[in-house]
Amino acid sequence: MGEMIEFSHVTKQFADNTAVADLNLAIRAGELFVLVGTSGSGKTTTLKMINRLVAPTSGTITFDGKALGDFNLRRLRWDIGYVLQQIALFPTMTVGQNIALIPEMKKWPRAKVKQAVDEGLRSVGLDPKTYRDRLPSELSGGEQQRIGILRALVARPPVILMDEPFSALDPLSRTQLQDLVLELHARLGMTIVFVTHDMNEAMRLGDRIAVMKEGHLLQVGTPTEIAEAPANTFVADFFASAQRSPLSVAVASLAPYGTAVAEAGEGPGDSDAAQRSGASSAKSAPVVSGQMTLSELLPELAESNHVTVKAQEGNFELSASAVLRYLADNEKEQSK
Amino acid sequence: MKDVWQTFLDQRGALVQQLGQHIELSLLALLVAVVIAVPLAIWAQPHKRAANFLLQLTGILQTIPSLAVLGLLIPLVGIGNPPTLIALVIYALLPIFQNTYVGLDEIDPAYKEAAEAFGMSRWRKLVKVELPLAMPVIIGGIRTAMVLIIGTATLGAFIGAGGLGTMIMTGINANIPAMTFIGALAAALLALAFSAGLSVLQKLRWRQVLLVLGAVVVGFGGYGVYQAVAAPKDEIVIAGKMGSEPSILINMYKLLIQQADPSVQVTLKPNFGQTSFLYSAVQNDKIDLYPEFTGTVVTSLVKPSKAQNAAIAAGSDSYPIAKSLLNKEGLTLLTPMKYNNTYAVVVTQAFAKAHNIKTISDLARERGLIAGFDVEFNNRQDGYKGLQKLYGLSLNVKTMSPDLRYSVIHSGKIQVTDGYSTDSQIRQYNLLALQDDKKLFPIYQGAPLMKASFAAKHPALVKALNKLGGRITETQMQKMNYEVNVQKRSAASVAKAFLLKQGLLKEAK
Ligand SMILES: Nc1ncnc2c1ncn2[C@@H]1O[C@H](COP(=O)(O)OP(=O)(O)OP(=O)(O)O)[C@@H](O)[C@H]1O
Ligand SMILES: [Mg+2]
């Protein structure tokens, strides 16, 4: 594999604040490269230097072997897809128009654009007839970001940049979209540079992961390399936070494993009320808050086998076997 | 209420015409303001300091009273539509500029970043992303501007631009509140209608907005072309100053001209403006003629020589002097009418009888009288100052607004006031205009003023108008003014009745 993007001795200074310090990094063609780090560590700045939204203070960046500055700026950007955390689908354009933006600038023939839009919509799991002419405001957050990704890749750029694209989504949509990214990457083989502050997400997606802290690159390696040989305690802790996860997740995020139920009442005595009216489940399942962690829920579950979880996205019933299924899935994921 | 309805029925035609003028002027002003302010705000986007400067500038422009703007513009661009249009545009700039600037400035930076990262050109970004996003705010600004323009455009009537202000002002001048009410109501409804229309536009999608705007521009352009092409060939435009008297006179002109040649189309513009507006309107071919007074010509419009001034002061006829001086300007004044509409010293008939007073000399014998004078009259050499010098008149003078003096003398608080010899109130309140036996006041005789070239081209018209030469006495004019101002008859019907009675007009069979 050749180097697609190479940073050498790149520094970015904002007034007296060094956002990125002497960065040396090579991103290979076709890999899904994840930049991970705490808030303010310089991930976004690094990413934006690739499509020249930010100019480095010193150092050089090459794209496909050529200095970035040598490219025609607009053509360079047509070859680098961009997905934002804010999604930023243009609200005055339909879904179809949003997707067609770059192909139109590239002067593709109409028929080809239309075909690409429709095929693209199908490839991200949305029916073209239903979605093409809708406005972004008529889509859920998860659907919007599917379009955001599609908009970035429809013209088949060799590189796509994604800046925390899923951090505003609910846990279920996030998992589904991570799967989508993995699937698209496997099928299309472009280079993806993906920024996140979530080590779980990094481990799940990354071919290789770069860990950043306060403008410095701490370690670059495959998820296994980082797990087995963290460069320092910061990386180790960061990694460990991800490993602890299966039992420390909020119960609400297990919604896909539960079965949705009608709205339960508020306040104490909920379960009694539900029982008397007979409107809820047949058995008296205790009601728990979706915000409690899975480990906190385990004793309760051992007791009653069923719980009703109150969550913002809708209440659902969770059984002990569903929780086991979740843990099994999670284990499979981690060891992949 | 019944009154309003009746007035509405009477004025329907005028209302529709003025509404049309009002809409035309307002839309044109709005269009010009948009064409200036929107690109300026776009340009100012990356120039914070220039933007601030422009915001303050347009803000300052807006604080200048609209009448002052019109006054300042008249010496520069004359009267009629141009100064009104400019004034309206000046007012509309701020809301449109401000909203466009703010609308663009407040776009979520994520959209700007996305557009940038997708490699859009500056133009494409503007047209595809930024303007559509800012459109509701921009249209909000246009809405504010529209309401402002429709309100301010009523002032256009002051300087001959027509519009609904004409109805409002005619109502005020002729003391017909119902007419003022109808004009104001129509202006308010128009503003509401436009505002509602624009609020619908605000909710539409970008493309639909463009479509509607395009339709307005095309429709407007088409209407303009139609107007230019379909304008009648031989149209004579006659204007008059404020008030009932000029309105009655121009109606007589119209009747006489059409009697001579029924195929001529005569358009009247009553209450068109003050002396200087009308004078420059004739010079600029905005109107063809208007009734003017010999005295006004020699005191305000042309500059007589010393010898001529002396002759006028000695009481010689100012008409030949006025006519010859106007000729040098390429203008002419037809034969004047009989009545002399000059300053008058006015007392009640009861007072005159009791003290046996007929002339100003008679009045000068009396002592300790209280007079209510208009400020200007009080200070003029051909006003109270001259009266003191020539007649030795000595009065206890209180200055007051001209609209008040007749009702005050009627109430008995003063014994003497100033006025014009043909004012209808003289008849209405049983007053008497004293004879100026020592001839202090200059002679103001009315006659049609027009370009000499126009007169040469229309000999039949000149002949028709000269029929009024030497006609109409002061009492007759007072009576006609009374009929219009107090009895609320239309100027047209009063003019027609007079001409018929005098045998100047033959009833059409
Ligand atoms: N335009 C800017 N002007 C000044 N300082 C900036 C600018 N952009 C970023 N910084 C600073 O540079 C540092 C790195 O910012 P950056 O956005 O790259 O962090 P990040 O890793 O993406 O953080 P987060 O996870 O919060 O998005 C921060 O201290 C930030 O305050
Ligand atoms: Mg960031």
Side-chain angles (χ1 to χ4, degrees):
Chain A
M1 273 188 194
E3 316 293 9
M4 193 72 196
I5 300 157
E6 192 161 2
F7 290 78
S8 63
H9 301 290
V10 171
T11 295
K12 178 63 196 182
Q13 191 86 28
F14 287 113
D16 56 351
N17 177 8
T18 308
V20 174
D22 193 33
L23 178 68
N24 291 290
L25 180 65
I27 296 166
R28 298 169 193 151
E31 75 177 331
L32 204 174
F33 191 88
V34 179
L35 278 170
V36 69
T38 49
S39 181
S41 56
K43 310 178 295 289
T44 297
T45 307
T46 304
L47 195 74
K48 285 186 181 173
M49 284 192 285
I50 299 174
N51 63 1
R52 286 174 60 188
L53 287 174
V54 170
T57 311
S58 64
T60 52
I61 305 169
T62 59
F63 181 82
D64 216 1
K66 223 168 100 180
L68 266 188
D70 292 349
F71 287 87
N72 169 299
L73 182 60
R74 289 180 47 219
R75 282 178 195 286
L76 175 80
R77 286 174 175 167
W78 293 349
D79 281 342
I80 302 178
Y82 192 54
V83 183
L84 295 83
Q85 177 182 353
Q86 302 92 327
I87 306 177
L89 295 181
F90 298 120
T92 53
M93 300 180 196
T94 62
V95 164
Q97 289 166 340
N98 267 284
I99 301 168
L101 270 175
I102 292 177
E104 273 174 2
M105 283 190 281
K106 285 188 156 180
K107 302 222 161 28
W108 287 14
R110 251 164 208 272
K112 188 178 170 196
V113 175
K114 187 174 180 305
Q115 197 192 350
V117 169
D118 287 1
E119 271 174 17
L121 278 168
R122 273 189 289 268
S123 76
V124 298
L126 298 172
D127 175 35
K129 268 210 217 73
T130 325
Y131 285 90
R132 194 197 302 123
D133 297 319
R134 281 206 198 167
L135 285 175
S137 55
E138 297 162 338
L139 268 54
S140 75
E143 288 168 337
Q144 285 184 25
Q145 195 57 299
R146 279 168 201 265
I147 306 298
I149 293 170
L150 178 54
R151 178 173 65 172
L153 64 72
V154 70
R156 295 285 182 271
V159 174
I160 296 179
L161 311 179
M162 301 191 181
D163 191 355
E164 305 203 26
F166 308 143
S167 61
L169 303 181
D170 62 279
L172 176 58
S173 306
R174 193 181 307 156
T175 319
Q176 290 172 341
L177 277 155
Q178 286 166 354
D179 288 341
L180 178 68
V181 167
L182 285 169
E183 189 255 320
L184 290 169
H185 179 247
R187 186 149 59 83
L188 305 171
M190 70 294 222
T191 311
I192 297 180
V193 186
F194 190 107
V195 164
T196 179
H197 60 252
D198 175 356
M199 193 62 169
N200 271 317
E201 191 167 61
M203 301 294 275
R204 184 149 189 250
L205 294 178
D207 291 332
R208 286 195 306 149
I209 298 172
V211 185
M212 291 186 75
K213 185 196 176 195
E214 289 163 8
H216 294 274
L217 182 61
L218 298 183
Q219 186 172 9
V220 184
T222 62
T224 328
E225 282 166 7
I226 289 180
E228 286 172 0
N232 55 31
T233 50
F234 177 82
V235 178
D237 286 351
F238 207 52
F239 181 72
S241 74
Q243 285 306 294
R244 252 199 334 267
S245 68
L247 288 182
S248 61
V249 296
V251 176
S253 64
L254 269 66
Y257 294 87
T259 46
V261 296
E263 195 72 16
E266 293 283 324
D270 281 351
S271 54
D272 292 345
Q275 199 173 25
R276 269 197 305 280
S277 71
S280 189
S281 70
K283 276 171 277 167
S284 70
V287 178
V288 300
S289 156
Q291 281 164 354
M292 85 196 292
T293 61
L294 188 51
S295 53
E296 286 167 327
L297 177 69
L298 286 179
E300 187 85 54
L301 210 55
E303 207 52 39
S304 60
N305 234 1
H306 275 85
V307 289
T308 301
V309 180
K310 269 172 54 174
Q312 253 178 351
E313 292 80 15
N315 298 347
F316 58 90
E317 204 175 284
L318 200 60
S319 66
S321 58
V323 173
L324 284 176
R325 216 174 322 119
Y326 162 76
L327 289 173
D329 284 356
N330 203 272
E331 188 53 31
K332 214 163 40 186
E333 206 77 58
Q334 293 288 340
S335 57
K336 202 171 65 175
Chain B
M1 201 56 222
K2 216 170 139 193
D3 207 25
V4 172
W5 180 242
Q6 191 53 46
T7 314
F8 171 73
L9 291 180
D10 288 349
Q11 303 291 335
R12 239 177 349 197
L15 187 67
V16 168
Q17 189 207 1
Q18 292 173 12
L19 199 65
Q21 290 171 339
H22 209 95
I23 293 174
E24 198 180 333
L25 197 64
S26 302
L27 277 183
L28 193 60
L30 190 72
L31 215 63
V32 174
V34 168
V35 166
I36 295 174
V38 170
L40 205 60
I42 291 170
W43 170 83
Q45 207 56 41
H47 306 96
K48 276 264 178 300
R49 286 172 68 185
N52 266 326
F53 170 77
L54 285 169
L55 269 176
Q56 296 195 351
L57 181 74
T58 49
I60 289 169
L61 283 177
Q62 224 189 22
T63 61
I64 308 175
S66 26
L67 266 178
V69 174
L70 292 178
L72 291 172
L73 283 169
I74 287 160
L76 301 176
V77 295
I79 63 158
N81 283 341
T84 314
L85 196 65
I86 294 174
L88 295 181
V89 169
I90 285 176
Y91 281 103
L93 286 179
L94 176 68
I96 300 178
F97 179 83
Q98 189 170 33
N99 277 42
T100 308
Y101 182 79
V102 170
L104 289 173
D105 196 48
E106 282 182 346
I107 292 174
D108 185 338
Y111 295 129
K112 293 186 182 176
E113 184 183 305
E116 186 69 32
F118 297 156
M120 288 186 167
S121 63
R122 170 133 166 76
W123 174 250
R124 199 180 188 87
K125 235 181 346 192
L126 188 68
V127 171
K128 286 231 149 191
V129 177
E130 295 178 349
L131 283 178
L133 282 171
M135 195 43 62
V137 186
I138 297 177
I139 293 183
I142 294 179
R143 238 172 109 181
T144 311
M146 189 80 232
V147 172
L148 216 70
I149 283 178
I150 290 177
T152 313
T154 51
L155 292 177
F158 276 113
I159 59 170
L164 291 167
T166 315
M167 185 142 301
I168 296 174
M169 255 186 357
T170 314
I172 293 172
N173 282 325
N175 196 16
I176 309 174
M179 224 166 138
T180 307
F181 175 75
I182 289 170
L185 187 71
L189 289 178
L190 189 63
L192 279 179
F194 271 102
S195 180
L198 283 167
S199 82
V200 169
L201 215 57
Q202 221 162 358
K203 292 190 196 94
L204 290 185
R205 290 216 202 148
W206 168 236
R207 265 164 204 246
Q208 295 164 313
V209 170
L210 280 189
L211 229 70
V212 171
L213 288 183
V216 167
V217 170
V218 167
F220 206 62
Y223 174 73
V225 169
Y226 166 81
Q227 284 249 310
V229 171
K233 305 281 169 298
D234 203 10
E235 188 197 22
I236 289 171
V237 182
I238 305 177
K241 296 185 196 178
M242 301 290 166
S244 58
E245 187 170 315
S247 302
I248 296 167
L249 290 178
I250 60 175
N251 271 292
M252 290 186 186
Y253 293 175
K254 178 178 181 176
L255 289 166
L256 291 172
I257 292 169
Q258 287 186 329
Q259 173 172 258
D261 182 356
S263 73
V264 196
Q265 195 190 332
V266 179
T267 303
L268 297 185
K269 301 205 163 190
N271 301 302
F272 194 60
Q274 313 289 353
T275 302
S276 53
F277 306 145
L278 283 151
Y279 188 63
S280 63
V282 166
Q283 289 180 313
N284 299 324
D285 294 318
K286 285 265 185 300
I287 59 174
D288 294 312
L289 61 108
Y290 76 97
E292 185 53 282
F293 290 104
T294 52
T296 310
V297 173
V298 294
T299 52
S300 321
L301 300 180
V302 295
K303 284 210 162 50
S305 67
K306 275 212 171 104
Q308 286 171 325
N309 268 330
I312 294 168
S316 76
D317 190 358
S318 55
Y319 171 67
I321 299 171
K323 188 174 178 181
S324 72
L325 289 173
L326 281 174
N327 242 309
K328 288 187 193 155
E329 311 279 328
L331 300 167
T332 189
L333 198 61
L334 304 187
T335 317
M337 295 168 290
K338 179 180 176 70
Y339 74 87
N340 178 14
N341 186 3
T342 187
Y343 282 122
V345 176
V346 175
V347 298
T348 63
Q349 285 186 12
F351 176 86
K353 212 170 187 177
H355 295 79
N356 193 24
I357 292 172
K358 288 204 178 72
T359 64
I360 300 178
S361 295
D362 294 343
L363 186 72
R365 291 195 313 263
E366 304 292 326
R367 285 287 172 261
L369 298 177
I370 304 174
F373 285 154
D374 170 35
V375 181
E376 192 186 333
F377 180 80
N378 194 41
N379 289 317
R380 283 179 74 110
Q381 282 304 331
D382 57 355
Y384 182 54
K385 286 197 170 148
L387 287 174
Q388 287 172 301
K389 242 188 263 166
L390 191 63
Y391 288 97
L393 198 63
S394 160
L395 301 162
N396 178 6
V397 174
K398 298 190 187 320
T399 57
M400 56 180 62
S401 149
D403 355 321
L404 290 178
R405 55 194 176 191
Y406 285 118
S407 50
V408 175
I409 195 172
H410 183 63
S411 74
K413 290 204 182 71
I414 57 174
Q415 287 87 45
V416 184
T417 188
D418 65 304
Y420 293 100
S421 49
T422 57
D423 281 348
S424 61
Q425 290 91 339
I426 293 180
R427 182 186 174 91
Q428 184 184 356
Y429 293 122
N430 292 316
L431 307 174
L432 181 70
L434 298 177
Q435 270 177 38
D436 177 19
D437 50 327
K438 293 190 184 168
K439 303 221 181 298
L440 168 70
F441 300 133
I443 292 170
Y444 282 73
Q445 279 181 301
L449 188 150
M450 64 192 75
K451 277 197 165 173
S453 56
F454 177 83
K457 228 190 288 170
H458 298 85
L461 174 144
V462 171
K463 199 171 151 221
L465 292 181
N466 274 339
K467 283 189 182 169
L468 279 178
R471 308 297 283 255
I472 312 182
T473 63
E474 272 137 53
T475 337
Q476 285 170 334
M477 198 66 238
Q478 269 179 24
K479 180 165 173 272
M480 286 190 276
N481 282 334
Y482 177 80
E483 285 167 350
V484 171
N485 287 336
V486 182
Q487 298 183 327
K488 310 285 184 228
R489 291 178 52 194
S490 76
S493 68
V494 171
K496 189 170 182 184
F498 178 83
L499 291 179
L500 285 171
K501 201 168 151 208
Q502 298 290 312
L504 295 171
L505 192 68
K506 304 272 175 304
E507 189 81 75
K509 270 149 236 157

